Each structure stands twice: as C-alpha cells, then as structure tokens.
Amino acid sequence: MNLTTTLRYIKTLTLGVCATWLIACSSGPSYNPTTFNSQYDKAVVDAAEVKNVIITHVNISGPSRSYLERHEARIDAKLSQRLKEAGYKVLPQRLFTQEWNTAIRAFGDPFDPTTGRVNMKTFVLIMNSIKDQLVSKSSVDAFIFTDLIEHQTAFNNGMKHEARWDGVSRKPSLQGPGTSIPAGFDWNQLASVASLQIVMFDRNLERIFLGRGGIDAIDAIDARSGTRFERRRNLLESDKYIAEGIDLALHPWVPMQNWPGSQP
C-alpha cells in the first residue's frame, strides 16, 4: 500500500474504532478482543531487508493535541531503545528533520495548525523528496511514523470498571481533593484515552507495517464533582504502560510475549 492510500486508510481507521471498543467489553482476563490486528506481511518485510530505520519527528495523521505532543520525544526514545534491543539500527532523527525542514520550504507545510488536517498531495511530495535524499545519503531501509492517537471509551467493564482499547485494560483514576466516587456515578459516559500507532514504509514509500497499542487514559474522574471526567494533570507518566503500548504496536513484526490478541 503506497503513501497516499495509507493516509486515506488511517483517516478512516481513526474515525471507525470507537464503536468497536464500546461493544467489546466482556472478555476474560487474558484475551482482549480490542487488540489491534496489525497489517503485516513477514515475506514483504523480509524482502525489504529492513535493518536500518529512522523514526520521524512528524505524525502521518496530523499533529497530536498539545498535551500529547510534549510526550512524543520520550515515547520515540523508548521505541528506539526497543528496536535496538530487537537488533535494528536506529538512525539519528535529525537526519529526517533536516530534510523535512528543507522540503517544507520548497513545498509548504502539509499540516494545517488550525484544523489539524493533512494536505495529502503536499505530504506525498515532501516524503518523496526526503526519501530521495536520505536513500542517497544514508543506509536507511525504512521510515517509521509514531502517532499518539486520542480516542474515547467507557470505564464500564465489570465490577472493577475497566476500560479496554487496543489490547490494554485500565482502571479509572481519581483526581482532586475527594477520596471516593459516588454510588450513582454514570459509568457509561465516555473518557479520553491514548494509543500509539506505528506505521512503517520501505525505501520506496510502500507501507510494510501498521500496528497499534493502547497506552493509558487521558482523563480521570473529577473528585470535586464526582460526576464527570477531567483531563489528568500527569499524562502518560507510567513507563510500564508506555512499554506495553510499544510492544502491542510492534507485534508481530517485533514479537510480544503474552500478546493479548490470541483467543483461547
């Protein structure tokens, strides 16, 4: 799948997942039916001889929300470490950034900061220019895009009031001066959650991998009102949850132990 088709597919995917999550909240403790089935063909990836990768500093689906964007560099660093542990060489991100800055001066910025929309024609022109430059100047085999995606789901699964999305199960947290949640709290109301999406293209900008993994909730229960969710002050603070999201998003290209998508 080429770059233009992938951009259209990702837009459709992002809009279409929430209903599935709300339905799939009735499973056992190990198998998670919300686990994303990555788009991956081992033979295609093997044929691309992926050894040296570069993690881009931009998103393929458009800029993240500002409160998520500040965590992108940290998550990219953890992804880089995970790929190195798996035997891949991760080239310096600055190589991509330099070519990106040169290309946007020539073609314009593909991201509209007011709407978050992506001009696909401009994005493709930029990526083709970057690809030509980096393939000629470096040993890059693949380009990896890491997007922090925000969704909404409900903490209404079972007595523990878990939310499940993209392979993870999370309990709600309480934020504020209160210590308890009122008995009449509406557990069907939606809260924002975050996932990591990983998309990899080969040297010809053909998509060879797309994966996704849940990380953590963006919202917590507001203890002052006891009736609604509010944005958490300490977002994505758990290294353990980030590592789980990375492992889920990389599977099965980089296999994850105890992958929760295998139905018993």
Side-chain angles (χ1 to χ4, degrees):
M1 185 179 289
N2 62 30
L3 185 56
T4 303
T5 306
T6 297
L7 285 166
R8 294 196 180 99
Y9 173 80
I10 287 174
K11 181 178 180 181
T12 303
L13 176 68
T14 302
L15 294 174
V17 292
C18 293
T20 303
W21 291 338
L22 293 176
I23 294 170
C25 288
S26 59
S27 66
S30 57
Y31 168 61
N32 190 327
T34 70
T35 305
F36 186 85
N37 287 313
S38 298
Q39 310 235 340
Y40 169 71
D41 186 324
K42 186 178 184 303
V44 172
V45 175
D46 288 347
E49 297 184 333
V50 175
K51 298 177 182 177
N52 306 314
V53 303
I54 192 164
I55 300 172
T56 75
H57 72 291
V58 295
N59 293 350
I60 195 170
S61 56
S64 301
R65 301 292 181 88
S66 59
Y67 45 84
L68 293 176
E69 187 176 15
R70 64 178 66 106
H71 299 280
E72 290 179 340
R74 173 169 156 247
I75 291 175
D76 282 354
K78 291 183 179 298
L79 171 63
S80 175
Q81 183 60 39
R82 181 69 187 91
L83 291 173
K84 290 175 182 177
E85 292 170 356
Y88 295 93
K89 180 178 180 181
V90 181
L91 302 178
Q93 192 175 76
R94 60 178 170 77
L95 299 176
F96 183 92
T97 303
Q98 290 167 358
E99 297 299 339
W100 175 271
N101 292 336
T102 299
I104 63 172
R105 286 195 292 270
F107 301 107
D109 194 332
F111 301 130
D112 186 330
T114 58
T115 64
R117 293 179 179 174
V118 182
N119 183 316
M120 289 190 292
K121 181 178 179 180
T122 303
F123 190 86
V124 171
L125 286 172
I126 288 173
M127 281 304 303
N128 273 293
S129 174
I130 294 172
K131 178 259 295 183
D132 291 342
Q133 292 298 316
L134 289 184
V135 167
S136 66
K137 296 178 181 178
S138 72
S139 58
V140 64
D141 299 314
F143 301 88
I144 295 177
F145 290 85
T146 57
D147 292 18
L148 286 176
I149 308 295
E150 180 175 344
H151 311 289
Q152 288 196 318
T153 190
F155 284 86
N156 61 359
N157 184 48
M159 296 297 293
K160 295 182 179 180
H161 296 292
E162 291 181 330
R164 292 186 171 183
W165 74 96
D166 283 340
V168 299
S169 299
R170 302 286 185 251
K171 296 178 183 178
S173 58
L174 193 65
Q175 182 167 276
T179 58
S180 62
I181 303 170
F185 185 81
D186 179 10
W187 290 104
N188 290 314
Q189 64 182 299
L190 300 180
S192 294
V193 297
S195 294
L196 173 65
Q197 176 179 272
I198 293 177
V199 189
M200 181 168 63
F201 295 87
D202 66 11
R203 291 161 63 96
N204 298 313
L205 294 184
E206 292 292 328
R207 195 193 78 198
I208 55 177
F209 180 79
L210 188 155
R212 203 164 183 161
I215 301 179
D216 202 359
I218 294 172
D219 290 342
I221 296 172
D222 180 2
R224 283 171 292 191
S225 70
T227 61
R228 60 182 176 84
F229 289 99
E230 65 175 4
R231 190 181 305 151
R232 295 173 61 174
R233 288 187 286 271
N234 299 316
L235 286 178
L236 307 183
E237 58 184 342
S238 172
D239 288 341
K240 177 182 176 182
Y241 286 173
I242 290 173
E244 183 180 11
I246 289 173
D247 285 347
L248 284 163
L250 287 174
H251 184 85
W253 172 39
V254 178
M256 176 184 183
Q257 290 186 345
N258 301 318
W259 183 64
S262 298
Q263 188 168 6

